[in-house]
Amino acid sequence: MPSSTSPLTSKPAWQALVAHHAKLREVTLRELFDQDPGRGERLTLDAAGVYLDYSKNRVTGETIQLLLALAAESGLRERIDAMFRGEKINVSEDRAALHVALRAPRDAAIVVDGHDVVPAVHAVLDRMAAFVDRVRCGDWKGHTGKRIRNVVNIGIGGSDLGPVMAGEALVADRDGSLEFRFVSNVDGADFAGATRDLDPAETLFIVASKTFTTQETMTNAHTARDWLLRGVGVGAGGDSGAVARHFVAVSTNAQRVAAFGIDTAQMFEFWDWVGGRYSLGSAIGLSTMLAIGPARFREMLAGFHEMDEHFRCAPFSHNLPVLMGLLGVWYNNFFGAQTVAVLPYAQNLHRFPAYLQQLAMESNGKRVTRSGDPVGCDTGPVYWGEPGTNGQHSFYQLLHQGTRLVPCDFIVFANSPGSPVAQHDKLVANAFAQAEALAFGRSADELAAAGVSGQQAAHQVCPGNRPSNMLFLDQLTPTALGRLVALYEHLVFTQAAIWQIDAFDQWGVELGKVLAQRILAELDGPAEPPPVHDGSTNALIRRYRTRRGA
Ligand code: F6P
C-alpha cells in the first residue's frame, strides 16, 4: 500500500475514483433504484442510536469499496488510533485533540504527557454538578440575597455556538425556573438586547473563553460587570463581593481569570487539548448543565461516548462517521460540489447548522497538509442550512432546479413529544417528500401524463438525481444530541484524514484579529492616523472618523 502521506491525488484509490466517476456521473438515481430496488433497505446503517439511509446517494457498491480503499490508503485507521491515544495530532499547535476524553467514563484511562486526564475531567464535571445543583435549588444567591433566575453565557465561537445550539435543542428538558441568554457579538446591541429585561440582582454570568483573551468576550464581560455593579447598587470601582456572587468563569487560563477579578475557585477548568469547537462536552457546557441538570448532561456525554466508541471500533464499511465523511469527499472532490446543506426537521435544532459551520469550516477550511504542502485538491465544503420546513419556502427551489449540485443531510426524529402526532406526521412527510423529490424529480413524460407540456413543462421539470442522506433518530433527547454532534465531529475528522490536513488549528482567523487591533487604535486616536493601509482601508478609516457619533 502507498504511504499514507503520499500526495492524495496520486493514490491508486483516488485515480480509480476519478475513472469510476467518469462512468457513474451519467447514471441517475432513478436508474440505480430501477436496477436495484433493494438498495433502499440495503444502503443503510443502524448504529449508536442513529439510522442512516444513504441509498439516495449517487453511489454503487463499487463506489463504496473505492472510497473505503481511499480511507485505507490515507491511513484513517492510524489517525483514529492516534487521536484516541492522545497523540499530538494538532501538529501546528503541538497539542493533542482529545475531546473524546471529555466523554470517557470514570473508569477509563487516557494518558496525555504521561498523565491520565480522565480523573480531572470527572473532577470538573463533579464540581460543575455541585454548583449547578446549588443554583437550580436556589441555594446560590445573588449579592442582594435574591435567587438566581437568569443565566447569561458570554462567549463566542466554540464558547457560544455549542451552548446556544444545545440550549435550544434541549429546550424541552430545561429547568423552567431559569432564563437563559447568550451574548457573543462585540456589537453592544447584543449585550443590551440580551439583558434588557433582566434584573441584575437575579442574574448569573458565565464568562466562557478558552483563552480568556478574546476581544469580544472580554469586552462583553467588562460591560456585564459594570451593568451588574450598577444594577445591584455597588458604586463605580467598588465590588464588595458582588462579582463573586454573579460571575463564574470557564477557561483554561486561570491567570487571566484572576486578573479579570473572578476568584479561580469559581472557575471551571478545561484543557488545551480541547479545541473550542469540540468543547461542548467540557465545562463550556456549563449553561447546558444548568439548563437540563447534571443527570441529563451526563446522558448527553454518554450519547457522545457511544458514537465515539462506534467510530473507534466499527469496521469502516459499517461506520457512520466514516461513511458519511467519505460520501462528502465523493461529492466535494469528484462532483465538484462546493456546499453541503444540513436540513434538520426539528425546530429545536435551528442553531445546528450554525454550530456545524464552525465545526466543519474552522476545522477543514485549510489549504496545506499537516506537513505544510499545498493540499492539491479542494478541502472543506461550505456548510449551511435551516430547519425544515422553513427552508422549503426559501432556498429549496435552488436545490430542486438550480444548476448546482448540493448534497443534503436530512435529520428527522420519529417522535416529538412537544408536537401533536398529527402535526409531527406533517413535518416528517415533508422531509421524506423532499428527499424523494430531490432524488427522482419529475420528468417531462410525467408532466405530459398530467397534461402539462411545452414551455410550461420546461419550467416544471425537476431533473432529480440530487443526492441526500437521511439521518433518522428516535427523539431529540440529550443522548441523541450527543450522538449527533459526535457523528459530525468524526465525519469532519475522517475528511481531514483523507485530505491530510490539521483539523484542529485555525490560523486563518488570526490575521483579521491582528488587523482589527491595529485599526481600532487608529479609529480611537486623537489625530488623523497616517495612511498606512491600502487606499480602500485608509479611505474607510477616514470616513468613519468623520461620520461617527461623538
Ligand atoms: O477566533 C476563533 C476562535 O479561536 C475559535 O476557535 C474559538 O472557539 C473562539 O475563537 C473563541 O475563543 P475563546 O474560547 O478562547 O474565547
Side-chain angles (χ1 to χ4, degrees), residues 4 36 47 65 69 91 96 108 123 126 182 186-187 195-196 207 240 283 285 301 304 319 332 364-365 381 427:
S4 62
D36 176 14
Q65 289 314 314
V91 284
D126 291 344
F182 296 87
V186 76
D187 182 344
T195 55
R196 183 169 296 135
V207 185
S240 58
L301 296 182
F304 270 106
N319 192 310
N332 191 66
N364 283 349
L427 179 70

Side-chain angles (χ1 to χ4, degrees), residues 131 135 140-154 191 198-207 221 224-234 239-249 260-263 266 268 286 290:
F131 173 73
V135 174
W140 182 282
K141 301 261 190 312
H143 180 63
T144 64
K146 281 188 166 177
R147 185 183 175 135
I148 296 297
R149 300 204 179 275
N150 315 307
V151 175
V152 181
N153 187 85
I154 299 178
F191 182 87
L198 303 186
D199 176 357
E202 298 181 340
T203 301
L204 175 76
F205 288 99
I206 302 171
V207 185
R225 189 167 57 186
D226 293 347
W227 178 86
L228 186 276
L229 294 179
R230 250 194 339 271
V232 298
V234 178
D239 176 343
S240 58
V243 169
R245 303 309 302 168
H246 292 270
F247 281 81
V248 295
F260 177 82
I262 298 177
D263 187 342
Q266 281 162 218
F268 298 93
L286 183 62
L290 278 160

